[in-house]
Amino acid sequence: MRQAWDIETDVLVVGYGLAGGVAAVIARDGGADVLIVEKNQYPGGCSIFAGGQILCAADAEAAFQYLTAISGGRMETDIIRTFAEALAGNEAFIRELGAIDGAEVRRVPGQQGSYPYPGQETWYSIRVPRVPGFDGFDWLLCRNKLAGVNLIKVTVDNVESRGIKAMLSTPARRLETDDSGAVVGAIVEKDGQELAIRARQAVILATGGFEQNDWLKKQYLQGIPFYSMGPLTHTGDGILMAQKVGAALWHMWLLHGSYGFKTPDSPIAYRHSIPGYRNPKRKMPWVVVDKLGSRYMDEYPPAPQDTGYRPMEIFDPDLPGYPRIPSYMLFDEKGREAGPIARPMAFPGYEYEWSEDNSQEIEKGWIVKADSVAGLAEAIRERFPENEGRMDAERLAATVAEWNVSVEAGKDRFNRPPGTMMPLVQPPFYAAQVWPMITNTQGGPVHNARQQVIDAFGQPIPRLYAVGELGSFFGHLYQLGGNLSECFTSGRIAGQNAAAEPRLP
Ligand SMILES: Cc1cc2nc3c(=O)[nH]c(=O)nc-3n(C[C@H](O)[C@H](O)[C@H](O)COP(=O)(O)OP(=O)(O)OC[C@H]3O[C@@H](n4cnc5c(N)ncnc54)[C@H](O)[C@@H]3O)c2cc1C
């Protein structure tokens, strides 16, 4: 066991996104000395780019029923119960944290659970649309003024007001254990040097997802490739560090994501432009077809930025290959004029402004165009090598014809809501290549209701906790707003329990 340490603290928090920040604040309030280490040059993780919808429950029992249904039998009852109760207390907790800045906390009307399960009506969302006197961090270009940035502002102010130190540009590399297997610290890297940090009470892992780790994606996701809109620092470090000390993993296969765009200009993928909650009256100008030209899904499901990737993952042994990776988004001239098909995030260093009428992207060759559907099939074959020359003009024409009949009838065989349908009739016709795309991952170390990390044989690994999307609650079906909520619930629970661990001498 290590004898010499460079730094000592009571609770070490690894990762300074929302979950890590909240856990640090609560551990400090529980009486612990707290230190945060963060890999990036700034705090915020992917939380800072979030839309800021935070899921809350009006009634814990109804929330329990709904969460049980969306867990699909994959989750223990006590964890569901704890999460449901914490979600019922979330709004009050967030208001308390926000008080530091006089942050405005607002309920978002009309947002129930996305799926028709018992308890659907208990859900509502809150946002923090405004922090008085705050107009974004100067290091972060945040064109859309997404509310996630306000959550990070509130979190950072809570952290700083308690005198909690955060070491930025300091990735944790591995955990340190004692002879009993308890986690007693971590090795981090600062300016090219390794530092050993002792944690006398606990380590809380809050390192977010693995969407930028190609190896993990290849091992745990069915479809290849998946592109990501998450920060480049999200390489699953917390997963690997937890595995090394014996953690079991869960929910590695489940993503919050949809179909989106990968351009040669950026390592970050771009999401399509329809927002998170389905509005059955909002027009969506496109349909999506596979490599050969057939439609295969409702392009506008109940949560349009979630689940859209799920039908894309199928492998066809007869092909052989993935017939839906990549797929093609089709629209006509009216669709082109209806607005941008993508909404890139304002990622530091990777900002991109998609043109309002998609013309810039047509010029760049990211979108192909043709005067007829048959011509579009040919353009796809020629422009996109990933199509492997498979786009079939006859099949594509039949798909478009069938679609136009469905629009006319207001009835789609994939259950696309009639109010969202637009015909494809007005030349020229357009196609863009779309890929399964990750907004964020849900997998990570298994935890119990106390947020303690669990080993491969079902036992807690002493003094190790995990929070946020690192081993999220969601492992079957995601409920929108749930990830940000979980940062508050899991951060609160882990912070309290970590601060209550007996202090090592
Ligand atoms: C564009 C977008 C919109 C979203 N909108 C919503 C929404 O409206 N509602 C909702 O509920 N969810 C939303 N989500 C999901 C939600 O934002 C995330 O699941 C949540 O913010 C994750 O928080 P976290 O604290 O667990 O991780 P993060 O905020 O990502 O923080 C993890 C931190 O750990 C750091 N880290 C990684 N490895 C190391 C290491 N080795 N050492 C030290 N630090 C490390 C990272 O750099 C990062 O700062 C959205 C996600 C995206 C990308």
Side-chain angles (χ1 to χ4, degrees), residues 234-271:
H234 275 209
T235 47
D237 302 6
I239 296 171
L240 304 177
M241 288 189 278
Q243 274 189 296
K244 175 95 167 124
V245 297
L249 301 183
W250 67 4
H251 308 161
M252 293 296 285
W253 70 278
L254 186 69
L255 310 167
H256 172 40
S258 188
Y259 49 91
F261 310 90
K262 177 73 185 74
T263 72
D265 290 15
S266 169
I268 310 295
Y270 303 146
R271 67 203 308 190

Side-chain angles (χ1 to χ4, degrees), residues 14-20 37-40 42-55 146 152 170-173 206-209 229-231 233-235 237-238 241 256 271 345 439-442 467-470 478 480-485 487:
V14 180
Y16 194 0
L18 184 59
V37 290
E38 165 56 47
K39 184 177 185 178
N40 221 337
Y42 48 80
C46 81
S47 309
I48 207 163
F49 303 106
Q53 306 281 74
I54 309 166
L55 183 70
L146 295 169
I152 292 301
T170 308
R173 295 298 184 205
T207 53
M229 61 190 281
T233 53
H234 275 209
T235 47
D237 302 6
M241 288 189 278
H256 172 40
R271 67 203 308 190
M345 284 191 325
T439 300
N440 61 275
T441 58
Q442 306 289 7
V467 294
E469 69 176 35
L470 175 72
Y478 176 62
L480 290 178
N483 277 129
L484 287 178
S485 276
C487 291

